[in-house]
PDB file of all heavy atoms in Angstrom:
ATOM      1  N   LEU A1450      -4.820   5.537  -1.042  1.00  0.00           N
ATOM      2  CA  LEU A1450      -5.874   5.975  -0.263  1.00  0.00           C
ATOM      3  C   LEU A1450      -6.069   4.833   0.896  1.00  0.00           C
ATOM      4  O   LEU A1450      -6.257   5.083   2.017  1.00  0.00           O
ATOM      5  CB  LEU A1450      -7.146   6.220  -1.072  1.00  0.00           C
ATOM      6  CG  LEU A1450      -7.062   7.304  -1.865  1.00  0.00           C
ATOM      7  CD1 LEU A1450      -8.348   7.403  -2.730  1.00  0.00           C
ATOM      8  CD2 LEU A1450      -6.729   8.700  -1.307  1.00  0.00           C
ATOM      9  N   ILE A1451      -6.060   3.567   0.396  1.00  0.00           N
ATOM     10  CA  ILE A1451      -6.108   2.439   1.232  1.00  0.00           C
ATOM     11  C   ILE A1451      -5.050   1.436   0.915  1.00  0.00           C
ATOM     12  O   ILE A1451      -4.915   1.139  -0.241  1.00  0.00           O
ATOM     13  CB  ILE A1451      -7.579   1.815   1.132  1.00  0.00           C
ATOM     14  CG1 ILE A1451      -8.602   2.761   1.572  1.00  0.00           C
ATOM     15  CG2 ILE A1451      -7.602   0.519   2.064  1.00  0.00           C
ATOM     16  CD1 ILE A1451     -10.010   2.231   1.412  1.00  0.00           C
ATOM     17  N   GLU A1452      -4.402   0.916   1.850  1.00  0.00           N
ATOM     18  CA  GLU A1452      -3.316  -0.042   1.661  1.00  0.00           C
ATOM     19  C   GLU A1452      -3.454  -1.113   2.724  1.00  0.00           C
ATOM     20  O   GLU A1452      -3.378  -0.875   3.998  1.00  0.00           O
ATOM     21  CB  GLU A1452      -1.934   0.511   1.557  1.00  0.00           C
ATOM     22  CG  GLU A1452      -0.864  -0.467   1.207  1.00  0.00           C
ATOM     23  CD  GLU A1452       0.487   0.014   1.045  1.00  0.00           C
ATOM     24  OE1 GLU A1452       0.594   1.379   1.361  1.00  0.00           O
ATOM     25  OE2 GLU A1452       1.453  -0.645   0.566  1.00  0.00           O
ATOM     26  N   ALA A1453      -3.555  -2.283   2.445  1.00  0.00           N
ATOM     27  CA  ALA A1453      -3.599  -3.479   3.279  1.00  0.00           C
ATOM     28  C   ALA A1453      -2.396  -4.362   2.995  1.00  0.00           C
ATOM     29  O   ALA A1453      -2.198  -4.825   1.808  1.00  0.00           O
ATOM     30  CB  ALA A1453      -4.935  -4.290   3.203  1.00  0.00           C
ATOM     31  N   ARG A1454      -1.646  -4.655   4.055  1.00  0.00           N
ATOM     32  CA  ARG A1454      -0.488  -5.515   3.907  1.00  0.00           C
ATOM     33  C   ARG A1454      -0.698  -6.821   4.738  1.00  0.00           C
ATOM     34  O   ARG A1454      -0.868  -6.730   5.991  1.00  0.00           O
ATOM     35  CB  ARG A1454       0.788  -4.809   4.389  1.00  0.00           C
ATOM     36  CG  ARG A1454       1.070  -3.540   3.549  1.00  0.00           C
ATOM     37  CD  ARG A1454       2.172  -2.729   4.165  1.00  0.00           C
ATOM     38  NE  ARG A1454       2.453  -1.497   3.451  1.00  0.00           N
ATOM     39  CZ  ARG A1454       3.249  -0.536   3.974  1.00  0.00           C
ATOM     40  NH1 ARG A1454       3.915  -0.682   5.095  1.00  0.00           N
ATOM     41  NH2 ARG A1454       3.446   0.617   3.163  1.00  0.00           N
ATOM     42  N   GLY A1455      -0.710  -7.926   4.091  1.00  0.00           N
ATOM     43  CA  GLY A1455      -0.901  -9.168   4.914  1.00  0.00           C
ATOM     44  C   GLY A1455      -2.195  -9.247   5.573  1.00  0.00           C
ATOM     45  O   GLY A1455      -2.279  -9.782   6.723  1.00  0.00           O
ATOM     46  N   LEU A1456      -3.239  -8.695   5.030  1.00  0.00           N
ATOM     47  CA  LEU A1456      -4.493  -8.598   5.655  1.00  0.00           C
ATOM     48  C   LEU A1456      -5.085  -9.970   5.830  1.00  0.00           C
ATOM     49  O   LEU A1456      -5.415 -10.541   4.759  1.00  0.00           O
ATOM     50  CB  LEU A1456      -5.424  -7.702   4.949  1.00  0.00           C
ATOM     51  CG  LEU A1456      -6.834  -7.445   5.667  1.00  0.00           C
ATOM     52  CD1 LEU A1456      -6.663  -6.504   6.784  1.00  0.00           C
ATOM     53  CD2 LEU A1456      -7.821  -6.850   4.552  1.00  0.00           C
ATOM     54  N   ARG A1457      -5.334 -10.506   7.027  1.00  0.00           N
ATOM     55  CA  ARG A1457      -5.919 -11.776   7.350  1.00  0.00           C
ATOM     56  C   ARG A1457      -7.158 -11.608   8.107  1.00  0.00           C
ATOM     57  O   ARG A1457      -7.100 -11.187   9.271  1.00  0.00           O
ATOM     58  CB  ARG A1457      -4.981 -12.758   8.007  1.00  0.00           C
ATOM     59  CG  ARG A1457      -3.666 -12.818   7.270  1.00  0.00           C
ATOM     60  CD  ARG A1457      -2.864 -14.100   7.818  1.00  0.00           C
ATOM     61  NE  ARG A1457      -3.504 -15.357   7.411  1.00  0.00           N
ATOM     62  CZ  ARG A1457      -2.967 -16.465   7.847  1.00  0.00           C
ATOM     63  NH1 ARG A1457      -1.966 -16.502   8.672  1.00  0.00           N
ATOM     64  NH2 ARG A1457      -3.518 -17.537   7.459  1.00  0.00           N
ATOM     65  N   VAL A1458      -8.345 -11.735   7.528  1.00  0.00           N
ATOM     66  CA  VAL A1458      -9.639 -11.571   8.172  1.00  0.00           C
ATOM     67  C   VAL A1458     -10.000 -12.735   9.027  1.00  0.00           C
ATOM     68  O   VAL A1458      -9.964 -13.874   8.612  1.00  0.00           O
ATOM     69  CB  VAL A1458     -10.724 -11.247   7.201  1.00  0.00           C
ATOM     70  CG1 VAL A1458     -12.003 -10.848   7.864  1.00  0.00           C
ATOM     71  CG2 VAL A1458     -10.236 -10.048   6.290  1.00  0.00           C
ATOM     72  N   HIS A1459     -10.541 -12.385  10.272  1.00  0.00           N
ATOM     73  CA  HIS A1459     -11.097 -13.459  11.083  1.00  0.00           C
ATOM     74  C   HIS A1459     -12.443 -13.899  10.622  1.00  0.00           C
ATOM     75  O   HIS A1459     -13.295 -13.112  10.443  1.00  0.00           O
ATOM     76  CB  HIS A1459     -11.238 -12.924  12.534  1.00  0.00           C
ATOM     77  CG  HIS A1459      -9.918 -12.782  13.350  1.00  0.00           C
ATOM     78  ND1 HIS A1459      -9.487 -13.790  14.214  1.00  0.00           N
ATOM     79  CD2 HIS A1459      -8.993 -11.865  13.278  1.00  0.00           C
ATOM     80  CE1 HIS A1459      -8.278 -13.251  14.714  1.00  0.00           C
ATOM     81  NE2 HIS A1459      -7.964 -12.117  14.168  1.00  0.00           N
ATOM     82  N   ARG A1460     -12.609 -15.226  10.564  1.00  0.00           N
ATOM     83  CA  ARG A1460     -13.818 -15.814  10.332  1.00  0.00           C
ATOM     84  C   ARG A1460     -14.204 -16.767  11.464  1.00  0.00           C
ATOM     85  O   ARG A1460     -13.716 -17.963  11.439  1.00  0.00           O
ATOM     86  CB  ARG A1460     -14.024 -16.377   8.952  1.00  0.00           C
ATOM     87  CG  ARG A1460     -15.175 -17.083   8.594  1.00  0.00           C
ATOM     88  CD  ARG A1460     -15.247 -17.703   7.225  1.00  0.00           C
ATOM     89  NE  ARG A1460     -15.270 -16.720   6.171  1.00  0.00           N
ATOM     90  CZ  ARG A1460     -15.035 -17.102   4.835  1.00  0.00           C
ATOM     91  NH1 ARG A1460     -14.918 -18.337   4.543  1.00  0.00           N
ATOM     92  NH2 ARG A1460     -15.100 -16.157   3.930  1.00  0.00           N
ATOM     93  N   GLY A1461     -14.923 -16.327  12.489  1.00  0.00           N
ATOM     94  CA  GLY A1461     -14.981 -17.217  13.613  1.00  0.00           C
ATOM     95  C   GLY A1461     -13.652 -17.216  14.434  1.00  0.00           C
ATOM     96  O   GLY A1461     -13.019 -16.231  14.665  1.00  0.00           O
ATOM     97  N   ASP A1462     -13.297 -18.513  14.601  1.00  0.00           N
ATOM     98  CA  ASP A1462     -11.918 -18.724  15.243  1.00  0.00           C
ATOM     99  C   ASP A1462     -10.849 -18.937  14.184  1.00  0.00           C
ATOM    100  O   ASP A1462      -9.734 -19.384  14.593  1.00  0.00           O
ATOM    101  CB  ASP A1462     -12.069 -20.005  16.129  1.00  0.00           C
ATOM    102  CG  ASP A1462     -13.029 -19.719  17.396  1.00  0.00           C
ATOM    103  OD1 ASP A1462     -13.096 -18.557  17.772  1.00  0.00           O
ATOM    104  OD2 ASP A1462     -13.541 -20.747  17.777  1.00  0.00           O
ATOM    105  N   ASN A1463     -11.108 -18.744  12.947  1.00  0.00           N
ATOM    106  CA  ASN A1463     -10.135 -18.975  11.924  1.00  0.00           C
ATOM    107  C   ASN A1463      -9.684 -17.656  11.256  1.00  0.00           C
ATOM    108  O   ASN A1463     -10.328 -16.677  11.223  1.00  0.00           O
ATOM    109  CB  ASN A1463     -10.779 -19.901  10.940  1.00  0.00           C
ATOM    110  CG  ASN A1463     -11.172 -21.134  11.523  1.00  0.00           C
ATOM    111  OD1 ASN A1463     -10.416 -21.914  12.105  1.00  0.00           O
ATOM    112  ND2 ASN A1463     -12.428 -21.429  11.370  1.00  0.00           N
ATOM    113  N   LEU A1464      -8.505 -17.716  10.556  1.00  0.00           N
ATOM    114  CA  LEU A1464      -7.924 -16.680   9.774  1.00  0.00           C
ATOM    115  C   LEU A1464      -7.924 -17.080   8.293  1.00  0.00           C
ATOM    116  O   LEU A1464      -7.533 -18.081   7.899  1.00  0.00           O
ATOM    117  CB  LEU A1464      -6.555 -16.334  10.198  1.00  0.00           C
ATOM    118  CG  LEU A1464      -6.331 -15.526  11.594  1.00  0.00           C
ATOM    119  CD1 LEU A1464      -4.944 -15.418  11.936  1.00  0.00           C
ATOM    120  CD2 LEU A1464      -6.978 -14.159  11.354  1.00  0.00           C
ATOM    121  N   LEU A1465      -8.559 -16.097   7.454  1.00  0.00           N
ATOM    122  CA  LEU A1465      -8.424 -16.315   6.004  1.00  0.00           C
ATOM    123  C   LEU A1465      -7.070 -16.091   5.492  1.00  0.00           C
ATOM    124  O   LEU A1465      -6.267 -15.471   6.218  1.00  0.00           O
ATOM    125  CB  LEU A1465      -9.444 -15.416   5.328  1.00  0.00           C
ATOM    126  CG  LEU A1465     -10.964 -15.589   5.687  1.00  0.00           C
ATOM    127  CD1 LEU A1465     -11.752 -14.664   4.858  1.00  0.00           C
ATOM    128  CD2 LEU A1465     -11.427 -17.112   5.493  1.00  0.00           C
ATOM    129  N   PRO A1466      -6.703 -16.534   4.312  1.00  0.00           N
ATOM    130  CA  PRO A1466      -5.320 -16.359   3.761  1.00  0.00           C
ATOM    131  C   PRO A1466      -5.046 -14.878   3.602  1.00  0.00           C
ATOM    132  O   PRO A1466      -6.004 -14.112   3.433  1.00  0.00           O
ATOM    133  CB  PRO A1466      -5.401 -17.070   2.451  1.00  0.00           C
ATOM    134  CG  PRO A1466      -6.524 -18.077   2.528  1.00  0.00           C
ATOM    135  CD  PRO A1466      -7.475 -17.486   3.443  1.00  0.00           C
ATOM    136  N   PRO A1467      -3.779 -14.545   3.685  1.00  0.00           N
ATOM    137  CA  PRO A1467      -3.390 -13.113   3.612  1.00  0.00           C
ATOM    138  C   PRO A1467      -3.687 -12.520   2.312  1.00  0.00           C
ATOM    139  O   PRO A1467      -3.525 -13.060   1.172  1.00  0.00           O
ATOM    140  CB  PRO A1467      -1.874 -13.014   3.997  1.00  0.00           C
ATOM    141  CG  PRO A1467      -1.440 -14.472   3.633  1.00  0.00           C
ATOM    142  CD  PRO A1467      -2.575 -15.429   3.881  1.00  0.00           C
ATOM    143  N   VAL A1468      -4.025 -11.162   2.299  1.00  0.00           N
ATOM    144  CA  VAL A1468      -4.308 -10.367   1.047  1.00  0.00           C
ATOM    145  C   VAL A1468      -3.520  -9.148   1.064  1.00  0.00           C
ATOM    146  O   VAL A1468      -3.577  -8.421   2.110  1.00  0.00           O
ATOM    147  CB  VAL A1468      -5.875 -10.135   0.866  1.00  0.00           C
ATOM    148  CG1 VAL A1468      -6.079  -9.317  -0.302  1.00  0.00           C
ATOM    149  CG2 VAL A1468      -6.598 -11.464   0.749  1.00  0.00           C
ATOM    150  N   ASP A1469      -2.898  -8.751   0.042  1.00  0.00           N
ATOM    151  CA  ASP A1469      -2.192  -7.422  -0.124  1.00  0.00           C
ATOM    152  C   ASP A1469      -3.085  -6.714  -1.067  1.00  0.00           C
ATOM    153  O   ASP A1469      -3.478  -7.115  -2.210  1.00  0.00           O
ATOM    154  CB  ASP A1469      -0.817  -7.533  -0.652  1.00  0.00           C
ATOM    155  CG  ASP A1469       0.109  -8.191   0.261  1.00  0.00           C
ATOM    156  OD1 ASP A1469      -0.104  -8.090   1.536  1.00  0.00           O
ATOM    157  OD2 ASP A1469       1.073  -8.936  -0.147  1.00  0.00           O
ATOM    158  N   LEU A1470      -3.420  -5.416  -0.692  1.00  0.00           N
ATOM    159  CA  LEU A1470      -4.402  -4.630  -1.420  1.00  0.00           C
ATOM    160  C   LEU A1470      -4.041  -3.199  -1.377  1.00  0.00           C
ATOM    161  O   LEU A1470      -3.625  -2.719  -0.291  1.00  0.00           O
ATOM    162  CB  LEU A1470      -5.819  -4.871  -0.939  1.00  0.00           C
ATOM    163  CG  LEU A1470      -6.983  -4.023  -1.327  1.00  0.00           C
ATOM    164  CD1 LEU A1470      -7.242  -4.449  -2.857  1.00  0.00           C
ATOM    165  CD2 LEU A1470      -8.209  -4.225  -0.524  1.00  0.00           C
ATOM    166  N   ALA A1471      -4.087  -2.459  -2.465  1.00  0.00           N
ATOM    167  CA  ALA A1471      -3.894  -1.009  -2.452  1.00  0.00           C
ATOM    168  C   ALA A1471      -4.837  -0.352  -3.481  1.00  0.00           C
ATOM    169  O   ALA A1471      -5.085  -0.817  -4.524  1.00  0.00           O
ATOM    170  CB  ALA A1471      -2.398  -0.758  -2.866  1.00  0.00           C
ATOM    171  N   VAL A1472      -5.473   0.772  -2.981  1.00  0.00           N
ATOM    172  CA  VAL A1472      -6.440   1.511  -3.812  1.00  0.00           C
ATOM    173  C   VAL A1472      -5.858   3.004  -3.891  1.00  0.00           C
ATOM    174  O   VAL A1472      -5.880   3.537  -2.871  1.00  0.00           O
ATOM    175  CB  VAL A1472      -7.815   1.474  -3.230  1.00  0.00           C
ATOM    176  CG1 VAL A1472      -8.720   2.203  -4.105  1.00  0.00           C
ATOM    177  CG2 VAL A1472      -8.262   0.053  -3.091  1.00  0.00           C
ATOM    178  N   HIS A1473      -5.523   3.338  -5.069  1.00  0.00           N
ATOM    179  CA  HIS A1473      -4.994   4.763  -5.325  1.00  0.00           C
ATOM    180  C   HIS A1473      -6.201   5.598  -5.809  1.00  0.00           C
ATOM    181  O   HIS A1473      -7.171   5.065  -6.319  1.00  0.00           O
ATOM    182  CB  HIS A1473      -3.910   4.763  -6.317  1.00  0.00           C
ATOM    183  CG  HIS A1473      -2.574   4.167  -5.762  1.00  0.00           C
ATOM    184  ND1 HIS A1473      -2.393   2.802  -5.735  1.00  0.00           N
ATOM    185  CD2 HIS A1473      -1.447   4.746  -5.275  1.00  0.00           C
ATOM    186  CE1 HIS A1473      -1.193   2.466  -5.283  1.00  0.00           C
ATOM    187  NE2 HIS A1473      -0.648   3.656  -4.967  1.00  0.00           N
ATOM    188  N   ALA A1474      -5.948   6.859  -5.685  1.00  0.00           N
ATOM    189  CA  ALA A1474      -6.922   7.773  -6.257  1.00  0.00           C
ATOM    190  C   ALA A1474      -6.892   7.688  -7.747  1.00  0.00           C
ATOM    191  O   ALA A1474      -5.844   7.539  -8.382  1.00  0.00           O
ATOM    192  CB  ALA A1474      -6.596   9.247  -5.844  1.00  0.00           C
ATOM    193  N   GLY A1475      -8.028   7.599  -8.462  1.00  0.00           N
ATOM    194  CA  GLY A1475      -8.114   7.553  -9.839  1.00  0.00           C
ATOM    195  C   GLY A1475      -8.131   6.188 -10.445  1.00  0.00           C
ATOM    196  O   GLY A1475      -8.000   6.058 -11.645  1.00  0.00           O
ATOM    197  N   GLU A1476      -8.203   5.080  -9.687  1.00  0.00           N
ATOM    198  CA  GLU A1476      -8.160   3.793 -10.194  1.00  0.00           C
ATOM    199  C   GLU A1476      -9.321   2.937  -9.658  1.00  0.00           C
ATOM    200  O   GLU A1476      -9.887   3.164  -8.665  1.00  0.00           O
ATOM    201  CB  GLU A1476      -6.822   3.195  -9.841  1.00  0.00           C
ATOM    202  CG  GLU A1476      -6.552   2.668  -8.442  1.00  0.00           C
ATOM    203  CD  GLU A1476      -5.356   1.834  -8.236  1.00  0.00           C
ATOM    204  OE1 GLU A1476      -4.634   1.607  -9.223  1.00  0.00           O
ATOM    205  OE2 GLU A1476      -5.076   1.550  -7.120  1.00  0.00           O
ATOM    206  N   VAL A1477      -9.570   1.875 -10.450  1.00  0.00           N
ATOM    207  CA  VAL A1477     -10.572   0.829 -10.120  1.00  0.00           C
ATOM    208  C   VAL A1477      -9.863  -0.389  -9.781  1.00  0.00           C
ATOM    209  O   VAL A1477      -9.150  -0.890 -10.628  1.00  0.00           O
ATOM    210  CB  VAL A1477     -11.673   0.670 -11.229  1.00  0.00           C
ATOM    211  CG1 VAL A1477     -12.618  -0.331 -10.850  1.00  0.00           C
ATOM    212  CG2 VAL A1477     -12.334   1.998 -11.586  1.00  0.00           C
ATOM    213  N   VAL A1478     -10.059  -0.836  -8.520  1.00  0.00           N
ATOM    214  CA  VAL A1478      -9.410  -2.137  -8.199  1.00  0.00           C
ATOM    215  C   VAL A1478     -10.647  -3.197  -8.039  1.00  0.00           C
ATOM    216  O   VAL A1478     -11.565  -2.949  -7.272  1.00  0.00           O
ATOM    217  CB  VAL A1478      -8.716  -2.048  -6.871  1.00  0.00           C
ATOM    218  CG1 VAL A1478      -8.067  -3.351  -6.381  1.00  0.00           C
ATOM    219  CG2 VAL A1478      -7.589  -0.942  -6.967  1.00  0.00           C
ATOM    220  N   LEU A1479     -10.394  -4.361  -8.696  1.00  0.00           N
ATOM    221  CA  LEU A1479     -11.472  -5.341  -8.745  1.00  0.00           C
ATOM    222  C   LEU A1479     -11.005  -6.538  -7.845  1.00  0.00           C
ATOM    223  O   LEU A1479      -9.874  -7.055  -7.991  1.00  0.00           O
ATOM    224  CB  LEU A1479     -11.696  -5.829 -10.141  1.00  0.00           C
ATOM    225  CG  LEU A1479     -12.604  -6.982 -10.314  1.00  0.00           C
ATOM    226  CD1 LEU A1479     -13.990  -6.673  -9.811  1.00  0.00           C
ATOM    227  CD2 LEU A1479     -12.608  -7.521 -11.770  1.00  0.00           C
ATOM    228  N   LEU A1480     -11.832  -6.967  -6.898  1.00  0.00           N
ATOM    229  CA  LEU A1480     -11.577  -8.128  -6.027  1.00  0.00           C
ATOM    230  C   LEU A1480     -12.374  -9.244  -6.675  1.00  0.00           C
ATOM    231  O   LEU A1480     -13.620  -9.244  -6.847  1.00  0.00           O
ATOM    232  CB  LEU A1480     -12.122  -7.883  -4.663  1.00  0.00           C
ATOM    233  CG  LEU A1480     -11.228  -7.024  -3.639  1.00  0.00           C
ATOM    234  CD1 LEU A1480     -11.845  -6.981  -2.246  1.00  0.00           C
ATOM    235  CD2 LEU A1480      -9.866  -7.717  -3.529  1.00  0.00           C
ATOM    236  N   GLU A1481     -11.596 -10.226  -7.093  1.00  0.00           N
ATOM    237  CA  GLU A1481     -12.183 -11.450  -7.764  1.00  0.00           C
ATOM    238  C   GLU A1481     -11.963 -12.670  -6.944  1.00  0.00           C
ATOM    239  O   GLU A1481     -10.934 -12.808  -6.104  1.00  0.00           O
ATOM    240  CB  GLU A1481     -11.665 -11.749  -9.127  1.00  0.00           C
ATOM    241  CG  GLU A1481     -12.283 -10.882 -10.183  1.00  0.00           C
ATOM    242  CD  GLU A1481     -11.891 -11.368 -11.557  1.00  0.00           C
ATOM    243  OE1 GLU A1481     -10.887 -12.098 -11.553  1.00  0.00           O
ATOM    244  OE2 GLU A1481     -12.464 -11.018 -12.608  1.00  0.00           O
ATOM    245  N   GLY A1482     -12.753 -13.679  -6.937  1.00  0.00           N
ATOM    246  CA  GLY A1482     -12.557 -14.869  -6.307  1.00  0.00           C
ATOM    247  C   GLY A1482     -13.779 -15.645  -6.146  1.00  0.00           C
ATOM    248  O   GLY A1482     -15.006 -15.162  -6.275  1.00  0.00           O
ATOM    249  N   PRO A1483     -13.762 -16.969  -5.916  1.00  0.00           N
ATOM    250  CA  PRO A1483     -14.994 -17.834  -5.808  1.00  0.00           C
ATOM    251  C   PRO A1483     -15.722 -17.538  -4.605  1.00  0.00           C
ATOM    252  O   PRO A1483     -15.307 -16.818  -3.662  1.00  0.00           O
ATOM    253  CB  PRO A1483     -14.376 -19.230  -5.741  1.00  0.00           C
ATOM    254  CG  PRO A1483     -12.950 -19.059  -5.135  1.00  0.00           C
ATOM    255  CD  PRO A1483     -12.548 -17.796  -5.705  1.00  0.00           C
ATOM    256  N   SER A1484     -16.972 -17.896  -4.550  1.00  0.00           N
ATOM    257  CA  SER A1484     -17.942 -17.619  -3.449  1.00  0.00           C
ATOM    258  C   SER A1484     -17.321 -18.250  -2.149  1.00  0.00           C
ATOM    259  O   SER A1484     -16.898 -19.448  -2.322  1.00  0.00           O
ATOM    260  CB  SER A1484     -19.343 -18.099  -3.653  1.00  0.00           C
ATOM    261  OG  SER A1484     -19.840 -17.455  -4.726  1.00  0.00           O
ATOM    262  N   GLY A1485     -17.386 -17.586  -1.105  1.00  0.00           N
ATOM    263  CA  GLY A1485     -16.799 -18.103   0.154  1.00  0.00           C
ATOM    264  C   GLY A1485     -15.200 -17.866   0.320  1.00  0.00           C
ATOM    265  O   GLY A1485     -14.760 -18.235   1.318  1.00  0.00           O
ATOM    266  N   ALA A1486     -14.626 -17.170  -0.611  1.00  0.00           N
ATOM    267  CA  ALA A1486     -13.251 -16.892  -0.510  1.00  0.00           C
ATOM    268  C   ALA A1486     -13.002 -15.758   0.561  1.00  0.00           C
ATOM    269  O   ALA A1486     -11.907 -15.718   1.158  1.00  0.00           O
ATOM    270  CB  ALA A1486     -12.689 -16.391  -1.897  1.00  0.00           C
ATOM    271  N   GLY A1487     -13.960 -14.873   0.818  1.00  0.00           N
ATOM    272  CA  GLY A1487     -13.802 -13.916   1.792  1.00  0.00           C
ATOM    273  C   GLY A1487     -13.733 -12.483   1.264  1.00  0.00           C
ATOM    274  O   GLY A1487     -13.247 -11.595   1.959  1.00  0.00           O
ATOM    275  N   LYS A1488     -14.302 -12.236   0.079  1.00  0.00           N
ATOM    276  CA  LYS A1488     -14.140 -10.891  -0.562  1.00  0.00           C
ATOM    277  C   LYS A1488     -15.026  -9.905   0.262  1.00  0.00           C
ATOM    278  O   LYS A1488     -14.642  -8.801   0.573  1.00  0.00           O
ATOM    279  CB  LYS A1488     -14.724 -10.924  -2.076  1.00  0.00           C
ATOM    280  CG  LYS A1488     -13.909 -11.909  -2.868  1.00  0.00           C
ATOM    281  CD  LYS A1488     -14.420 -11.826  -4.327  1.00  0.00           C
ATOM    282  CE  LYS A1488     -15.843 -12.323  -4.473  1.00  0.00           C
ATOM    283  NZ  LYS A1488     -16.089 -13.716  -4.049  1.00  0.00           N
ATOM    284  N   SER A1489     -16.255 -10.360   0.647  1.00  0.00           N
ATOM    285  CA  SER A1489     -17.024  -9.400   1.486  1.00  0.00           C
ATOM    286  C   SER A1489     -16.473  -9.230   2.830  1.00  0.00           C
ATOM    287  O   SER A1489     -16.656  -8.217   3.449  1.00  0.00           O
ATOM    288  CB  SER A1489     -18.506 -10.016   1.608  1.00  0.00           C
ATOM    289  OG  SER A1489     -19.090 -10.083   0.345  1.00  0.00           O
ATOM    290  N   SER A1490     -15.821 -10.281   3.294  1.00  0.00           N
ATOM    291  CA  SER A1490     -15.140 -10.198   4.596  1.00  0.00           C
ATOM    292  C   SER A1490     -14.046  -9.107   4.682  1.00  0.00           C
ATOM    293  O   SER A1490     -13.728  -8.447   5.540  1.00  0.00           O
ATOM    294  CB  SER A1490     -14.531 -11.540   5.034  1.00  0.00           C
ATOM    295  OG  SER A1490     -15.557 -12.527   5.143  1.00  0.00           O
ATOM    296  N   ILE A1491     -13.281  -8.963   3.447  1.00  0.00           N
ATOM    297  CA  ILE A1491     -12.256  -8.002   3.270  1.00  0.00           C
ATOM    298  C   ILE A1491     -12.844  -6.595   3.414  1.00  0.00           C
ATOM    299  O   ILE A1491     -12.392  -5.708   4.133  1.00  0.00           O
ATOM    300  CB  ILE A1491     -11.447  -8.254   2.012  1.00  0.00           C
ATOM    301  CG1 ILE A1491     -10.643  -9.465   2.086  1.00  0.00           C
ATOM    302  CG2 ILE A1491     -10.616  -6.907   1.757  1.00  0.00           C
ATOM    303  CD1 ILE A1491     -10.039  -9.791   0.749  1.00  0.00           C
ATOM    304  N   ILE A1492     -14.058  -6.365   2.700  1.00  0.00           N
ATOM    305  CA  ILE A1492     -14.733  -5.021   2.719  1.00  0.00           C
ATOM    306  C   ILE A1492     -15.166  -4.810   4.234  1.00  0.00           C
ATOM    307  O   ILE A1492     -14.925  -3.691   4.637  1.00  0.00           O
ATOM    308  CB  ILE A1492     -15.902  -5.100   1.801  1.00  0.00           C
ATOM    309  CG1 ILE A1492     -15.502  -5.276   0.403  1.00  0.00           C
ATOM    310  CG2 ILE A1492     -16.706  -3.786   1.948  1.00  0.00           C
ATOM    311  CD1 ILE A1492     -14.749  -4.214  -0.183  1.00  0.00           C
ATOM    312  N   ALA A1493     -15.690  -5.873   4.932  1.00  0.00           N
ATOM    313  CA  ALA A1493     -16.061  -5.665   6.260  1.00  0.00           C
ATOM    314  C   ALA A1493     -14.875  -5.320   7.140  1.00  0.00           C
ATOM    315  O   ALA A1493     -15.011  -4.469   8.021  1.00  0.00           O
ATOM    316  CB  ALA A1493     -16.760  -6.915   6.774  1.00  0.00           C
ATOM    317  N   ALA A1494     -13.792  -5.848   6.903  1.00  0.00           N
ATOM    318  CA  ALA A1494     -12.509  -5.542   7.691  1.00  0.00           C
ATOM    319  C   ALA A1494     -12.103  -4.104   7.463  1.00  0.00           C
ATOM    320  O   ALA A1494     -11.772  -3.309   8.344  1.00  0.00           O
ATOM    321  CB  ALA A1494     -11.403  -6.450   7.339  1.00  0.00           C
ATOM    322  N   LEU A1495     -12.214  -3.663   6.225  1.00  0.00           N
ATOM    323  CA  LEU A1495     -11.864  -2.297   5.887  1.00  0.00           C
ATOM    324  C   LEU A1495     -12.820  -1.284   6.566  1.00  0.00           C
ATOM    325  O   LEU A1495     -12.418  -0.186   6.910  1.00  0.00           O
ATOM    326  CB  LEU A1495     -11.884  -2.030   4.371  1.00  0.00           C
ATOM    327  CG  LEU A1495     -10.797  -2.790   3.525  1.00  0.00           C
ATOM    328  CD1 LEU A1495     -11.020  -2.507   2.023  1.00  0.00           C
ATOM    329  CD2 LEU A1495      -9.433  -2.575   3.985  1.00  0.00           C
ATOM    330  N   LEU A1496     -14.114  -1.630   6.725  1.00  0.00           N
ATOM    331  CA  LEU A1496     -15.120  -0.783   7.272  1.00  0.00           C
ATOM    332  C   LEU A1496     -14.928  -0.898   8.830  1.00  0.00           C
ATOM    333  O   LEU A1496     -15.598  -0.089   9.515  1.00  0.00           O
ATOM    334  CB  LEU A1496     -16.496  -1.280   6.927  1.00  0.00           C
ATOM    335  CG  LEU A1496     -16.890  -0.988   5.528  1.00  0.00           C
ATOM    336  CD1 LEU A1496     -18.112  -1.684   5.072  1.00  0.00           C
ATOM    337  CD2 LEU A1496     -17.082   0.589   5.367  1.00  0.00           C
ATOM    338  N   GLY A1497     -14.128  -1.808   9.368  1.00  0.00           N
ATOM    339  CA  GLY A1497     -14.068  -1.938  10.816  1.00  0.00           C
ATOM    340  C   GLY A1497     -15.083  -2.787  11.407  1.00  0.00           C
ATOM    341  O   GLY A1497     -15.287  -2.798  12.680  1.00  0.00           O
TER     342      GLY A1497
END
């Protein structure tokens, strides 16, 4: 349903490390990481 390849989110003038992500129908995908890693930024990028 959603697939991100080498997704690097802009944070100001910087780029966060690349992330590969895929969400299929019928599955739960968990994004984990320390605070400030950019998990919410990835969601924001998916939302446009």
Side-chain angles (χ1 to χ4, degrees):
L1450 297 177
I1451 297 175
E1452 184 176 8
R1454 301 171 181 172
L1456 185 74
R1457 307 192 70 185
V1458 184
H1459 285 264
R1460 180 181 286 173
D1462 293 331
N1463 303 303
L1464 283 172
L1465 297 181
V1468 174
D1469 293 326
L1470 173 70
V1472 181
H1473 292 78
E1476 71 172 358
V1477 177
V1478 177
L1479 174 63
L1480 281 180
E1481 275 191 345
S1484 297
K1488 302 183 298 297
S1489 297
S1490 298
I1491 293 173
I1492 299 292
L1495 297 180
L1496 288 165

